[in-house]
Every structure is written in C-alpha cells, then in structure tokens.
Amino acid sequence: MSIHVPFNALRPGEDTAAVKAAIDRVIASGWFVLGPEVEAFESEFAAASQAAHAVGVGTGTDAITLILRALDIGPGDEVITPPLSAAYSALAVMMAGARPVFADIDPERLTLDPRATEAAITSRTRAILPVHLYGQAADLRAFEAIASRHNLALVEDAAQAQLATSDGRAVGTIGIAGATSFYPTKNLGALGDGGAVITGDAQLAARVKRLRNGGQTSRYHHQEAGANSRLDELQAAILRARLPCLAGWTARRRRIAASYRQVPVPASISVPREFDPGHVYHLFPVLTPHRDAFQAHCAGQGVETLIHYPVPIPRQPALATTNPAMCPAADRVCSEVVSLPMYPALSDDQVAAVARAVASFQPPSR
Ligand SMILES: *Cc1c(COP(=O)(O)O)cnc(C)c1O
C-alpha cells in the first residue's frame, strides 16, 4: 500500500473557521491597511516572541532591509551573512544599499560560522546578519561577543525560527532586532505575503514604523524616503487567528523530528545534529552524496522532497561577479542537502512512510 506525502500542506486545517471569521471581520470593517488588526497583531506577536515591540511589514525581506535602514546602514557599508540561506537574506542587504559579505557556514550546525565571520570583518563592516536556518538558532553567544568586540550591530534573520530559542532565550530578541516572514510556508504563515520586525529598542521600532509607511511622520508629510511595505489588515487578522495554534504546531514539528531521528539511517545518509532544544524544525534536512538517487527513491515511495538550497548565494548569477566568496562548507552542503516533509499536518502514517523511505535507501552501486 503506498501513501502520498506531499512536501507541504498549506490549506488551513484546524484553524479554518477562525481564519474565515477573521477574513469576514476585516471585510465588514471596511478598513484594509494599517488599522486595528495590524496593531493588535503587533502586540500579540511581540508577546509570543518575548519582544517589547513588533512592527508588521510587507515581507520578511523588507523586515531585514528596514532594520538595516533604521540603523543607518546603507551604501558603503558591509553586512556579513551566510552563503547558505534563502537568497532573500542577502538580497535584503542589497536592497538597503549595503554590500553582503559572505562568511562560510559551520559544517555541522549549518549556520554562519563565528570564526569565519570574525575573519571577514573590515573597516566597512557595520552588522552581522546570522540566519537561524531550518528553525535552529545560529551560535548567538559567539555572535554577541564578536558584535560587542567590534562594535557591530547584530541583526537576526529569524524568518525560519518563529518561537525558537537559543540557550533558552527567544531568538530575534538577542541582537538589536530580528526579522521574520509570514510567507505561507513559514511556521506561522499568512495567506499571502507578510513580515515583521521584532526589537527591544523603542526608537528602532518607531523608525521602522516610519520607514514602512513612506517615511511619513504625519499624513502626507514625509520626513525621509521610506518604503511602502505594510502588513495589510487581512493578513494581520489571519495571523491573529493562527497565532494561538503556533505553540502546538511547533510541538508537533518537534515530535515529527524526534521520529525522524529514530530512523536507522543507511551509512550514505547523515542527519545534522540538534544543537539546541529550542530548534523549531522549519525544515528537516538530511545530507547525502547520492542526492539524485535518494530523491528518486523517495518519489518512488510517494514521498516528496525539496532542496534547501541548491546554490550558495554568492554562486547565484545575480551576485557571482560582484560578491564572490570562498565557502567550501556551503558548497558541499548545497550539493548534498535534501529536505524531508516537515509540517504539523503530517499524519503518523505519513511520518512512518517518510521513515521507511529513508531507512530503505540504498545508494547506487558504481
Ligand atoms: C523566507 C525567508 C526570507 C524572506 O522572507 P519573505 O517574506 O519571503 O520576503 C528571508 N530569510 C529567510 C531565511 C527566509 O527563509
């Protein structure tokens, strides 16, 4: 008996009624941009994130860009960021007018390597932008020390790490600010685009609020050349309906990860180790030098897989000539990494099917 395991399932489930009620409420209100839903979501999301302030913006990419702009980081400045991430981490730096500088990843934790980061610092470096990749915090203690030693801003890309903790501390609250995304596939997703900045710094939050809305200080008075990047009322209301489910969904992700970790994996597959129990498993990557064969084997058993990410960001044509980088660890991971299905709606039978597919893989003989 074969069973189908899609890579993701984005249709609302247990939260359907609440999401529909939220949509109806916004339609009835006749208020669609920067209103009571966004304001309420900002305070609810700040509380859930253990942050003093949250500011809703258009996308996670914009959240990063607006944090940098609010810190007056722009043309002539460098921001150190990992080569293994969604390319948007680095594109956001470029959108702020600054230059992304890539330091290699730690080959085990798969996040930005602190030693490589310190080696990449120049007189132009203004910030470090670690990414909490796949739901696990980067080595924040090391980055806090480096940032304070070199007087740099620590900005956290927490798009894949909602509710994650690092040594018990909430991610996004450890640096000066954190950026998150509500792209539909994220642990807390909207039914469209959305993002947020979280920070403990009231002045920074106020500056991001101004920047997201054209730089206006009051209606039609533009103090600075801001962006147009607002979380809309519909998405904010939908996110408010879903936020109460997030802790339960996170617990389910961790249980699925625990099941995957019990699979007796063949020698040709390695499973990255969990460095922190605050890992929220946005994705569950494994590594194998026989990736094509492994993906075909999984597909044959009805299990969809995807690659996060196939190309190191500095090897992308958009950056390869302007931002070349040596990153052998990221090169190797990009050639071997493959993600198993990981989302709260997976049934126990589907989890078991994924486990069977992994356990039964035999690399092609040569
Ligand atoms: C999704 C994501 C982003 C970009 O978020 P958008 O809302 O799609 O702009 C940035 N960084 C990481 C690590 C992401 O996963």
Side-chain angles (χ1 to χ4, degrees):
M1 260 302 292
S2 80
I3 173 170
H4 184 57
V5 189
F7 187 76
N8 222 328
L10 300 179
R11 241 177 251 120
E14 58 181 295
D15 54 327
T16 302
V19 165
K20 285 186 171 165
I23 292 171
D24 286 345
R25 189 171 71 232
V26 174
I27 291 172
S29 80
W31 193 340
F32 302 109
V33 173
L34 293 186
E37 299 288 346
V38 169
E39 228 169 85
F41 175 68
E42 286 174 341
S43 66
E44 290 159 13
F45 187 69
S49 307
Q50 300 180 49
H53 310 276
V55 183
V57 297
T59 65
T61 306
D62 285 348
I64 299 168
T65 302
L66 295 180
I67 292 168
L68 296 176
R69 288 193 57 185
L71 293 169
D72 291 314
I73 295 172
D77 298 330
E78 294 178 352
V79 176
I80 301 176
T81 185
L84 179 67
S85 179
Y88 293 102
S89 309
L91 294 178
V93 173
M94 297 166 88
M95 285 167 57
R99 176 181 173 77
V101 170
F102 297 95
D104 207 354
I105 55 165
D106 174 320
E108 296 205 9
R109 195 175 182 127
L110 307 180
T111 49
L112 188 62
D113 179 47
R115 249 185 290 173
T117 298
E118 196 153 26
I121 293 172
T122 72
S123 59
R124 292 170 180 265
T125 307
R126 296 282 316 282
I128 307 172
L129 178 68
V131 177
H132 305 317
L133 197 68
Y134 307 135
Q136 178 161 253
D139 185 355
L140 285 169
R141 291 217 182 270
F143 290 116
E144 283 179 286
I146 295 169
S148 84
R149 204 151 51 233
H150 297 270
N151 195 25
L152 305 173
L154 177 58
V155 178
E156 302 173 56
D157 181 341
Q160 301 189 357
Q162 290 142 354
L163 302 194
T165 55
S166 165
D167 296 326
R169 299 181 298 166
V171 303
T173 67
I174 294 163
I176 179 78
T180 199
S181 163
F182 305 118
Y183 184 75
T185 61
K186 306 294 169 154
N187 290 25
L188 177 64
L191 302 186
D193 276 313
V197 170
I198 60 177
T199 182
D201 185 318
Q203 262 186 307
L204 182 67
R207 182 94 187 269
V208 171
K209 276 192 176 173
R210 189 166 87 184
L211 283 168
R212 77 173 169 186
N213 199 23
Q216 294 182 75
T217 41
S218 59
R219 188 182 280 192
Y220 308 135
H221 293 270
H222 295 259
Q223 183 67 33
E224 61 179 330
N228 189 350
S229 180
R230 300 166 305 217
L231 182 66
D232 66 65
E233 287 284 287
L234 263 176
Q235 300 306 337
I238 291 164
L239 289 164
R240 288 184 71 197
R242 303 187 123 182
L243 183 57
C245 298
L246 183 58
W249 290 341
T250 304
R252 174 73 184 148
R253 285 176 184 273
R254 286 195 53 81
R255 283 197 301 276
I256 294 167
S259 302
Y260 286 168
R261 287 188 180 284
Q262 279 169 9
V263 177
V265 293
S268 57
I269 296 175
S270 68
V271 180
R273 138 171 123 71
E274 180 179 288
F275 280 75
D276 194 308
H279 195 326
V280 297
Y281 290 97
H282 173 60
L283 291 166
F284 195 96
V286 300
L287 297 165
T288 174
H290 308 283
R291 182 169 63 191
D292 290 349
F294 177 73
Q295 287 196 280
H297 167 81
C298 288
Q301 308 223 354
V303 174
E304 293 179 9
T305 56
L306 277 182
I307 298 172
H308 300 92
Y309 294 89
V311 182
I313 304 170
R315 308 260 179 267
Q316 296 281 0
L319 292 91
T321 54
T322 50
N323 301 65
M326 284 282 289
C327 50
D331 285 334
R332 185 185 65 87
V333 171
C334 287
S335 70
E336 297 191 353
V337 76
V338 49
S339 302
L340 305 180
M342 168 54 81
Y343 47 95
L346 280 176
S347 69
D348 290 346
D349 287 348
Q350 287 176 313
V351 171
V354 175
R356 272 196 308 277
V358 173
S360 61
F361 176 61
Q362 294 187 330
S365 47
R366 29 188 235 105

